[in-house]
Amino acid sequence: MAGTKSPVGQTTDSFGCPFDKLYKDQSLQGADISFFRKGTRDDRIEQVVTPASDRGFAIGISTLAGHTRRIFHERHATTHVFDEDSLYIRNLAEPYRADLIGAFDMLLLEISPASLNKIAQEADFSGVTMLEAQTASKDLVLANLVRALIPALEHPEEASKLFVDQLATAIGTHLVQRYGGKMQISALRSRKLSRSHEALAKNLLLENLDGDISIMDVSRACNLSRGYFIRAFRETTGVTPYQWLLNERITRARELLKGSEVSLSEVAISCGFADQSHFTRVFTNVVGTTPGHWRRNA
């Protein structure tokens, strides 16, 4: 996906970067978090401006080393060099103006104030309304979590809504825990799903083999908060909801491959994959060999 078309009449994106400078412009919506990937090969982009707004907070993670930003404050300017996996967090309520020096490939998150409050409540950090500002600091945990979304950003037609929501919840929890500036109000205690909730959740997941169901849909059916549900499901089953569903899809695929003569494309669709290519990539990654090779040796 090389990029998306700019809205008619707009010359810059919502972060102030000129559309004609972007060779990567990808987006994806997760649970309470909007994800973007922005990339440019230009050595310098001057006066990138984001006016103050009530949009909330922007978090950026650099996938490349060597990008530099000269940020202009009211009476002075500061220069920051971004290494690979370094990040920034800024409050969009404050105006922003900067010169961007060097090519960059940034993974961006945007969280509204209401979403931040919701994430904080579900993570047992009630009262968090702000994220601490950061510029060119390192957070490998956050970087690795957000990097896991790159395939979904590049191939949104193959992205599992369940996977994206689940990862968004983990990212949001990490952000409020590390940058929310509040002590945890209630300690995380051992939590497991009741048998009825476990059965209900698994049935809902199996009814949506392609993963096109949100964590919120499943947690609401169980009358649980999203964060509580994910932790309880993991403690009950040993894996996350997405991992459990992926294992079920691969198990079903193996049964079809071994016990029938249906084509690989039919197996792919029957097991909730976008197409045969998507099925082959996921199966090979999980099993260690292609579906065709596995079938021949089964």
Side-chain angles (χ1 to χ4, degrees):
M1 178 174 170
T4 55
K5 292 183 179 179
S6 60
V8 177
Q10 277 188 233
T11 58
T12 64
D13 67 4
S14 60
F15 298 98
C17 197
F19 281 117
D20 62 2
K21 300 293 185 182
L22 295 172
Y23 80 98
K24 272 192 198 314
D25 187 12
Q26 301 162 347
S27 63
L28 194 66
Q29 185 61 45
D32 299 312
I33 302 178
S34 298
F35 297 97
F36 307 89
R37 189 179 185 184
K38 307 283 184 176
T40 179
R41 296 188 179 96
D42 283 64
D43 288 334
R44 187 179 186 93
I45 303 177
E46 296 185 342
Q47 296 300 291
V48 170
V49 176
T50 310
S53 70
D54 59 359
R55 284 161 46 195
F57 298 86
I59 301 95
I61 298 94
S62 178
T63 68
L64 302 174
H67 172 61
T68 301
R69 294 194 171 206
R70 182 164 176 78
I71 302 173
F72 298 91
H73 308 280
E74 189 173 354
R75 290 187 173 84
H76 69 287
T78 55
T79 301
H80 308 270
V81 178
F82 284 77
D83 293 324
E84 183 179 358
D85 293 333
S86 57
L87 69 104
Y88 70 76
I89 298 176
R90 59 187 177 93
N91 189 342
L92 295 172
E94 300 171 1
Y96 181 83
R97 184 164 59 96
D99 289 343
L100 312 184
I101 305 153
F104 65 80
D105 185 350
M106 300 288 290
L107 297 167
L108 301 171
L109 292 67
E110 185 173 324
I111 306 176
S112 71
S115 292
L116 181 64
N117 180 59
K118 182 178 178 182
I119 291 166
Q121 288 182 337
E122 293 189 347
D124 294 324
F125 277 73
S126 297
V128 171
T129 58
M130 301 284 289
L131 294 176
E132 297 171 356
Q134 302 285 324
T135 307
S137 58
K138 281 268 190 162
D139 185 342
L140 290 179
V141 172
L142 180 63
N144 286 329
L145 283 171
V146 179
R147 275 179 179 273
L149 281 168
I150 289 177
L153 282 161
E154 292 180 340
H155 302 283
E157 72 282 358
E158 296 179 1
S160 161
K161 188 174 183 181
L162 185 69
F163 172 74
V164 174
D165 278 1
Q166 181 179 291
L167 201 51
T169 300
I171 289 167
T173 299
H174 177 78
L175 285 169
V176 298
Q177 287 178 345
R178 180 156 180 175
Y179 303 106
K182 293 275 188 179
M183 293 297 293
Q184 193 167 4
I185 293 175
S186 60
L188 296 179
R189 53 194 179 277
S190 177
R191 297 170 173 176
K192 289 192 175 183
L193 294 174
S194 66
R195 288 185 179 180
S196 60
H197 280 163
E198 180 184 359
L200 175 60
K202 288 179 176 179
N203 285 337
L204 284 171
L205 293 173
L206 288 174
E207 288 171 3
N208 294 271
L209 267 186
D210 58 359
D212 193 25
I213 184 172
S214 70
I215 286 288
M216 183 61 77
D217 290 336
V218 184
S219 61
R220 276 179 177 163
C222 295
N223 199 28
L224 299 170
S225 74
R226 186 176 56 216
Y228 184 103
F229 169 74
I230 292 175
R231 289 193 296 271
F233 190 97
R234 186 169 53 235
E235 287 201 24
T236 304
T237 66
V239 292
T240 64
Y242 175 74
Q243 289 168 327
W244 183 87
L245 183 59
L246 184 59
N247 290 339
E248 291 295 312
R249 293 162 80 186
I250 295 300
T251 297
R252 182 170 296 189
R254 282 170 158 164
E255 292 171 352
L256 288 172
L257 290 170
K258 188 175 182 179
S260 71
E261 297 298 322
V262 297
S263 67
L264 294 183
S265 60
E266 289 176 304
V267 173
I269 298 303
S270 296
C271 296
F273 296 96
D275 51 35
Q276 183 177 331
S277 176
H278 182 213
F279 168 52
T280 299
R281 285 199 301 274
V282 175
F283 189 96
T284 303
N285 185 53
V286 173
V287 180
T289 187
T290 65
H293 186 269
W294 188 91
R295 169 180 260 173
R296 288 191 294 272
N297 290 277

